Amino acid sequence: MTNSTPTVTRDGVVGFDGREVVTIDQATGAELARYPVDDSEQAAAAVAAARQAAGAWWDLGFDGRAQRLRAWQREIARAGEEVAALIHAENGKPVDDARSEVLGTIGHLQYVLGNAERVLGRRDVPAAQAAPNQQAWIEYQPYGVVGVIGPWNFPLITPGAIVISALAAGNAVILKPSHLTPGVGQWLVRAWETAVPDFPAVLQHLIGYGATGQALIAAGVDKVAFTGSVTTGKTVATQCAQTATPMLLELGGNDGVIVAEDADLDEAAAHIVWGATGNTGHGCISLEVAYVVESVYDAFVAKISDLARQVRVGSDDDAQVGPVPLTSQIPVIREHIADALARGATATVGGLDTVTGDRYVGPTILVDVPADALAATEETFGPTLAVVKVADTEQAIALINAGPYGLGSAVFSRGRGEAIARRLRVGMTSINDALTFTMNPALPFGGRGDSGYGRKHGEEGLREFAYPHSFSAKTGPARFSASTFDRPAGAAAHALAATRDRLLGGN
Ligand code: NAD
């Protein structure tokens, strides 16, 4: 450790020439803690220890792992207030939002405890018609060591849900939390060490910046689960491609919400203002653009503007929206607002003056936003909503589907919600609500296009961390066999003719 002054960069206080991570208390701006940065040597040691522990972890079987995952779940519940306070300090979100992360993490553990064996246990499949003497089945086997690289916006539940699935599938895991929220990642691992003292190397962490993430991948993990921005995700994918390391890529989004002519406008306004500004708009699934049908446009704008004006920003106990911990995001938010205003949009709430101090951004509702403005086409990642007027829901669907992302979405319609939702080329949709798909641990979560590939949560999230190993075992003599050279002459021609007759019915 050093006593010198930390370097202040566009990303806030980022430490001493990259040798330390310094976190700040988002409520006060004061230094919170310092962490030495882990380098390639530590990454290699962590991967070696994880690899050694992984075999015994898999050998425990579902019951043995469940027993330990349950102990970890209890420990997280026991110390839930402690980690909620840490999330509040490092990330700045209100303590109740932090508590929701803790509850959600416990919920994901509950899901894998109840479902891992059903989803990942041995599965028999019928013998093939061509080889009735073969018993066939699938076993889902762990990759080995999984590297989980996480973001700062949901520092517990986002990497936590992935870690939980990977562990339940029988892998050892190394977590590299964001440099803005390393304490939360470390806390999760310490809770593991407390609850599961016989398998400490099965869940470890490495602290640092991007270079530490690169070192983790270079140390030879068997799978990488990356959550973060599109740009970084593509860089990480390029590194993984060099070693054909499989990936889960959970990237950004620019989530659209459709307000149809038959929407309940009070419900829509209440859910959308929360979905757009809650968590300071720092959600990959935060609602970013509302496509509102013109017949209800003015009424919707009046309602949502009224609600957005009431959102309380700050770090006090009654604040609903906290600061922007990634200070380099503030110029991006301003750029998107300025671009929309320059193209003829109006801010009914907020606007360019909404940035107060160096870390707080108030809610902004931009109306009459052209569909090609930055606020409508790019991830703003702030407490802003771009409202775009559309002739009908067909136009709204086309605009959402034309975008490069495809993560979450929402639809408000009394009668056609499901029909509209089904036509959106996205990973997830809430109907007559906002963001609710992420609250159900059984629903797979992920995107398409620039939002990434692979899935976390639910059955798909468990299978993401296990590869299917197919088995075919001979149980008796072959009646018709193509698997030796002693196949009877004419057998293949006879089988093809029989198949043709069966399919064509003699025609
Ligand atoms: P980021 O891309 O800046 O960083 C993410 C993580 O990658 C951090 O831990 C960082 O240290 C690490 N990293 C940076 N460069 C790296 C490299 N070259 N190799 C390996 N690791 C590297 O993202 P962020 O600002 O922490 O998170 C915000 C972004 O994450 C937003 O775009 C948001 O939409 C997205 N996000 C997506 C999901 C999802 O599930 N799809 C969830 C939360 C956040």
Side-chain angles (χ1 to χ4, degrees):
M1 274 209 197
T2 170
N3 290 322
S4 59
T5 309
T7 321
V8 179
T9 73
R10 270 164 50 87
D11 285 357
V13 185
V14 298
F16 305 86
D17 303 327
R19 284 178 285 115
E20 279 191 311
V21 171
V22 180
T23 55
I24 59 168
D25 184 332
Q26 295 296 331
T28 62
E31 183 178 314
L32 192 63
R34 298 179 180 202
Y35 304 81
V37 163
D38 290 313
D39 59 16
S40 308
E41 213 173 298
Q42 275 112 8
V47 171
R51 197 168 298 295
Q52 206 172 14
W57 177 243
W58 171 239
D59 287 344
L60 279 178
F62 289 105
D63 286 349
R65 285 194 294 279
Q67 194 190 330
R68 284 146 182 96
L69 290 167
R70 202 169 284 114
W72 189 35
Q73 185 190 39
R74 279 197 298 269
E75 176 60 16
I76 293 169
R78 187 196 64 75
E81 285 295 335
E82 179 186 303
V83 69
L86 186 55
I87 294 169
H88 169 67
E90 283 194 337
N91 169 283
K93 67 180 66 183
V95 183
D96 269 354
D97 288 357
R99 289 187 180 109
S100 296
E101 285 204 48
V102 183
L103 285 167
T105 304
I106 291 168
H108 282 288
L109 271 160
Q110 201 58 38
Y111 177 81
V112 301
L113 286 168
N115 294 282
E117 184 163 12
R118 176 182 62 79
V119 175
L120 298 175
R122 171 188 165 127
R123 187 159 58 89
D124 292 331
V125 298
Q129 209 175 12
N133 65 328
Q134 300 286 327
Q135 185 192 1
W137 75 95
I138 301 154
E139 287 180 17
Y140 292 93
Q141 297 188 327
Y143 282 93
V145 182
V146 174
V148 177
I149 299 175
W152 52 268
N153 57 337
F154 286 91
L156 183 69
I157 194 169
T158 292
I162 292 173
V163 167
I164 287 165
S165 294
L167 289 172
N171 301 278
V173 177
I174 299 169
L175 169 63
K176 207 299 277 174
S178 164
H179 68 268
L180 290 173
T181 53
V184 176
Q186 185 185 65
W187 186 94
L188 191 65
V189 173
R190 290 204 169 145
W192 172 268
E193 289 163 357
T194 303
V196 191
D198 51 343
F199 283 93
V202 161
L203 178 59
Q204 304 171 65
H205 68 281
L206 292 171
I207 287 178
Y209 305 96
T212 303
Q214 286 175 305
L216 172 61
I217 300 166
V221 292
D222 304 298
K223 175 136 188 172
V224 172
F226 174 85
T227 309
S229 60
V230 175
T231 308
T232 311
K234 288 180 179 173
T235 305
V236 172
T238 304
Q239 187 184 352
C240 286
Q242 308 311 308
T243 47
T245 304
M247 287 198 79
L248 165 65
L249 265 187
E250 291 285 2
L251 307 181
N254 182 39
D255 291 9
V257 46
I258 298 177
V259 182
E261 65 291 336
D262 65 340
D264 179 326
L265 296 184
D266 290 312
E267 282 271 303
H271 289 303
I272 294 171
V273 77
W274 175 77
T277 67
N279 209 52
T280 322
H282 298 145
C284 51
I285 53 166
S286 290
L287 297 175
E288 298 242 341
V289 196
Y291 296 96
V292 184
V293 171
E294 57 189 350
S295 58
V296 294
Y297 185 85
D298 290 344
F300 172 78
V301 165
K303 286 177 193 292
I304 196 160
S305 302
D306 186 39
L307 291 178
R309 253 175 236 120
Q310 299 171 41
V311 174
R312 297 186 298 276
V313 181
S315 293
D316 306 342
D317 285 350
D318 73 337
Q320 295 166 313
V321 166
V324 177
L326 182 70
T327 47
S328 62
Q329 196 62 30
I330 293 177
V332 176
I333 299 168
R334 285 182 66 93
E335 183 195 1
H336 286 196
I337 295 172
D339 173 72
L341 297 176
R343 289 161 181 260
T346 309
T348 57
V349 180
L352 278 175
D353 299 334
T354 194
V355 182
T356 53
D358 59 350
R359 286 181 298 117
Y360 290 92
V361 177
T364 289
I365 304 292
L366 294 162
V367 303
D368 299 335
V369 178
D372 61 351
L374 287 175
T377 58
E378 293 294 327
E379 184 180 47
T380 306
F381 222 55
T384 59
L385 180 75
V387 186
V388 176
K389 189 188 287 186
V390 289
D392 50 30
T393 53
E394 286 303 307
Q395 190 188 359
I397 294 167
L399 284 168
I400 288 179
N401 288 346
Y405 302 94
L407 198 56
S409 58
V411 175
F412 287 86
S413 165
R414 283 192 175 92
R416 297 189 298 125
E418 219 178 298
I420 296 168
R422 196 169 288 122
R423 293 182 52 207
L424 296 175
R425 293 196 294 121
V426 296
M428 300 153 298
T429 308
S430 288
I431 300 170
N432 294 323
D433 211 317
L435 281 50
T436 46
F437 46 76
T438 193
M439 297 171 191
N440 186 340
L443 282 176
F445 184 113
R448 53 168 285 278
D450 272 357
S451 294
Y453 46 76
R455 290 295 182 269
K456 61 181 178 181
H457 304 180
E459 295 186 6
E460 284 78 358
L462 280 165
R463 290 211 183 97
E464 188 73 38
F465 295 104
Y467 66 91
H469 184 161
S470 298
F471 296 86
S472 178
K474 189 169 183 176
T475 54
R479 272 189 274 141
F480 166 82
S481 173
S483 57
T484 63
F485 285 120
D486 62 2
R487 183 165 56 193
H494 174 75
L496 180 56
T499 301
R500 182 196 59 214
D501 291 347
R502 182 167 49 81
L503 292 178
L504 274 59
N507 293 330

